Amino acid sequence: MNELQPEKTGYVEILRSTALIGGSSAITMVFAILRTKAMAVLLGPEGIGLIGIFNSIADMTQAVAGLGVQASGVRQIAEAVGTGDRDKIARTAFILKRTSTLLGLIGAVLLAALSFPIGYFTFGDQQQSLSIGLLSAAIFFRLASAGQTALLQGLRKISLLAQVNIVTAFFTTATTIPMVFYFNTGGIVPALVASSAAMLLSSWWFSRRLAGDAPTMSLSHFGQDLKPLIRLGFVFMMSGLLTLVSAYVVRLIVLQAGGVLSAGLYQAAWALGSLYSGFILQAMGTDFYPRLTAISADHNACNKLVNEQARVSMLLAGPGVLATLTFAPLVMWLFYSPEFHAASDLLRWICIGMLLRIVSWPMGYIVLAKGAQAIFFWTEVAATLVHIGLAYLLVEYFGIVGAAVAFCGLYVWHTLAIFLIVRRLTGFRWSSENCKTGALFFGLSGLIFAATLWLPLWQATVLGSVTVLGGSLHSVSRLIRLLPEEMLPTKIRRWVLKTV
């Protein structure tokens, strides 16, 4: 038994961080469900479409004004922690937080100044320009809080990050629903501003004492330490901006093809499709990336960690994807309302794309950990072109379902492309266990998808239910076997393994 423990250490770390972030995400998901249901009932598909468009505008502005400082800040803080120099940690944290606040002010002014042309370009008139101007306050709050959360992540304070997520979700729900209830669509942007303010307050509260007292720095020293933060952040900024631009353009394609109603259906399917996978991807970015960076010079260790992360992620995500494919119409009804039934087909395609995303992202982090900035940037450029190109072609021929198919097609391409890239960088290969796990869940997903197309609803649901049960039992048994025996009482372990 003791000989197996070193092999299982990586799985324990992955499951522990996933449990912390995933547990908080489960709680925030409950709040998100409440908000989503309330928005659907109060606003309908058109209102949901407006929320998606305003969020896209805010996300793109944040990406441009933020200059990638949050992502580069995580790396800078982690490097400072690695030196054990408390003064360096304090200096890096001071620069990160001050820079984030300044960029927040610049971003807010930028969006306010451009609110009228953005409103005309997006909606074809000026009716929403004042709302876009008000959205500038959310940009300031978001970017100011980004410095706080980057500090928490760089210090690997995973439990504190989890608490920030929960507190933010609670206050967001408590403010959003009343605003939309009283002001209808007029309350959407004030609700987004309030949720961003809640994020800033909670992140400040949990990070306020972590880095020690603010150091005394001259302006020249501040500028010298700021340069590497901005230089690395620019690459992250361009990558994030490309992703957001593609999402924004796809929404515009849907909006122009089918109006606000179609945009609302697409936004609803997108939100649900990313809900379950979100906690896995969030945990991956929070703890997996810093750990991978620390060992990136060792190709074998790097590849081993990526395979471990991918295996755990597939085992956790697989049953959720199968369940969503099976019960898509019921899920749309429960989370939204009967008006959103037409989004069920979109949700199924997005779920397949999300499963591919979960497979490809661990490999993609190798490129970041290796510091291959040029490869990373041009891969993102290509992904943006593929996504927009597919959406433009497929929406024209298949309607709004084509937008969801385009997302799935994007990750078919991305998974193949990133595998070829990391194969050259580190000699990466999929482990035999991952090949089997991937074949199982993609095969079961294809079976359910085909059943929903060609079988009556009740037969497809019965077949899907049996498949979900089988996939879930497989995941539980495999996850338990990945843990050291001492982490579960012997009787419970034997009972569970015997049962499943």
Side-chain angles (χ1 to χ4, degrees):
M1 179 184 72
N2 292 333
E3 295 179 356
L4 294 176
Q5 301 317 302
E7 298 177 11
K8 296 188 176 183
T9 301
Y11 290 116
V12 172
E13 287 293 321
I14 292 168
L15 287 168
R16 183 180 290 119
S17 62
T18 304
L20 281 170
I21 295 298
S24 70
S25 296
I27 297 173
T28 59
M29 193 190 316
V30 173
F31 288 118
I33 291 170
L34 292 175
R35 292 197 305 274
T36 300
K37 185 68 175 180
M39 298 302 102
V41 172
L42 294 172
L43 301 177
E46 291 85 354
I48 297 296
L50 279 176
I51 292 174
I53 292 169
F54 282 128
N55 266 321
S56 292
I57 294 171
D59 289 342
M60 283 192 296
T61 306
Q62 181 182 353
V64 173
L67 294 178
V69 164
Q70 181 178 11
S72 62
V74 172
R75 189 183 182 98
Q76 297 292 91
I77 292 290
E79 288 180 352
V81 170
T83 65
D85 186 341
R86 296 182 64 85
D87 289 337
K88 184 175 182 180
I89 296 172
R91 289 197 310 272
T92 307
F94 176 79
I95 293 169
L96 173 62
K97 290 191 287 187
R98 291 298 184 276
T99 303
S100 297
T101 302
L102 177 60
L103 292 175
L105 286 171
I106 294 172
V109 172
L110 179 69
L111 182 59
L114 297 175
S115 59
F116 281 92
I118 291 174
Y120 185 81
F121 178 77
T122 304
F123 298 98
D125 54 42
Q126 305 290 349
Q127 292 184 7
Q128 299 293 346
S129 295
L130 291 178
S131 295
I132 294 173
L134 178 60
L135 197 61
S136 62
I139 302 304
F140 170 74
F141 294 139
R142 283 187 180 196
L143 287 173
S145 67
Q148 316 286 351
T149 54
L151 175 61
L152 290 170
Q153 187 176 347
L155 294 173
R156 292 189 67 190
K157 300 294 183 181
I158 307 301
S159 61
L160 293 181
L161 273 172
Q163 293 176 64
V164 170
N165 293 339
I166 293 171
V167 171
T168 300
F170 171 77
F171 282 107
T172 297
T173 303
T175 56
T176 296
I177 296 176
M179 285 183 178
V180 173
F181 179 79
Y182 285 108
F183 301 108
N184 203 265
T185 56
I188 291 176
V189 171
L192 293 176
V193 173
S195 66
S196 301
M199 183 187 303
L200 174 59
L201 289 174
S202 60
S203 61
W204 169 80
W205 178 261
F206 287 106
S207 67
R208 67 193 189 283
R209 294 193 181 97
L210 287 179
D213 297 329
T216 301
M217 297 182 67
S218 66
L219 189 60
S220 61
H221 286 159
F222 187 94
Q224 289 175 1
D225 288 346
L226 179 62
K227 285 181 182 178
L229 187 72
I230 298 297
R231 190 182 302 116
L232 179 61
F234 182 78
V235 178
F236 286 113
M237 182 271 285
M238 291 302 298
S239 168
L241 181 61
L242 287 169
T243 301
L244 293 170
V245 165
S246 66
Y248 177 68
V249 172
V250 169
R251 282 173 171 79
L252 285 183
I253 291 172
V254 173
L255 181 66
Q256 293 171 2
V260 178
L261 175 62
S262 293
L265 294 176
Y266 177 76
Q267 174 63 23
W270 174 261
L272 280 185
S274 59
L275 193 63
Y276 178 74
S277 61
F279 84 89
I280 298 171
L281 298 174
Q282 186 179 4
M284 202 182 293
T286 301
D287 193 55
F288 169 65
Y289 172 48
R291 291 177 60 214
L292 186 66
T293 301
I295 62 171
S296 59
D298 186 337
H299 288 182
N300 291 331
C302 182
N303 294 339
K304 179 175 180 290
L305 182 58
V306 170
N307 267 302
E308 290 174 347
Q309 178 68 53
R311 189 178 185 192
V312 171
S313 298
M314 283 191 288
L315 289 173
L316 290 172
V321 170
L322 297 179
T324 307
L325 289 171
T326 301
F327 304 109
L330 178 62
V331 169
M332 295 305 304
W333 179 79
L334 287 175
F335 280 71
Y336 292 97
S337 69
E339 295 178 88
F340 290 83
H341 182 271
S344 299
D345 290 337
L346 284 78
L347 178 58
R348 291 190 175 105
W349 281 107
I350 289 173
C351 279
I352 299 294
M354 286 295 174
L355 187 56
L356 286 164
R357 188 186 232 184
I358 286 170
V359 170
S360 67
W361 270 35
M363 294 187 293
Y365 277 112
I366 293 178
V367 179
L368 287 175
K370 287 289 184 183
Q373 297 179 7
I375 295 175
F376 177 68
F377 173 75
W378 288 111
T379 301
E380 293 300 309
V381 171
T384 300
L385 295 175
V386 169
H387 193 191
I388 294 175
L390 285 175
Y392 180 79
L393 293 173
L394 296 176
V395 169
E396 182 178 355
Y397 287 101
F398 302 107
I400 61 170
V401 174
V405 179
F407 174 74
C408 184
L410 164 66
Y411 274 98
V412 171
W413 172 86
H414 187 266
T415 302
L416 294 173
I418 209 68
F419 173 76
L420 294 175
I421 290 170
V422 298
R423 180 68 181 272
R424 294 195 65 179
L425 284 176
T426 65
F428 177 81
R429 293 175 181 270
W430 285 113
S431 65
S432 60
E433 293 85 357
N434 279 344
C435 290
K436 294 175 184 176
T437 302
L440 173 67
F441 281 112
F442 281 108
L444 293 178
S445 298
L447 176 64
I448 295 175
F449 202 101
T452 61
L453 293 176
W454 297 322
L455 293 179
L457 178 61
W458 73 268
Q459 293 181 3
T461 303
V462 170
L463 176 61
S465 300
V466 173
T467 305
V468 170
L469 178 61
S472 300
L473 294 176
H474 173 80
S475 288
V476 170
S477 66
R478 295 300 173 183
L479 287 170
I480 289 176
R481 287 184 172 89
L482 294 179
L483 295 173
E485 292 183 12
E486 61 268 19
M487 291 193 68
L488 278 177
T490 303
K491 291 184 178 179
I492 295 179
R493 183 184 182 91
R494 289 177 178 173
W495 179 81
V496 171
L497 292 177
K498 183 178 180 181
T499 302
V500 300

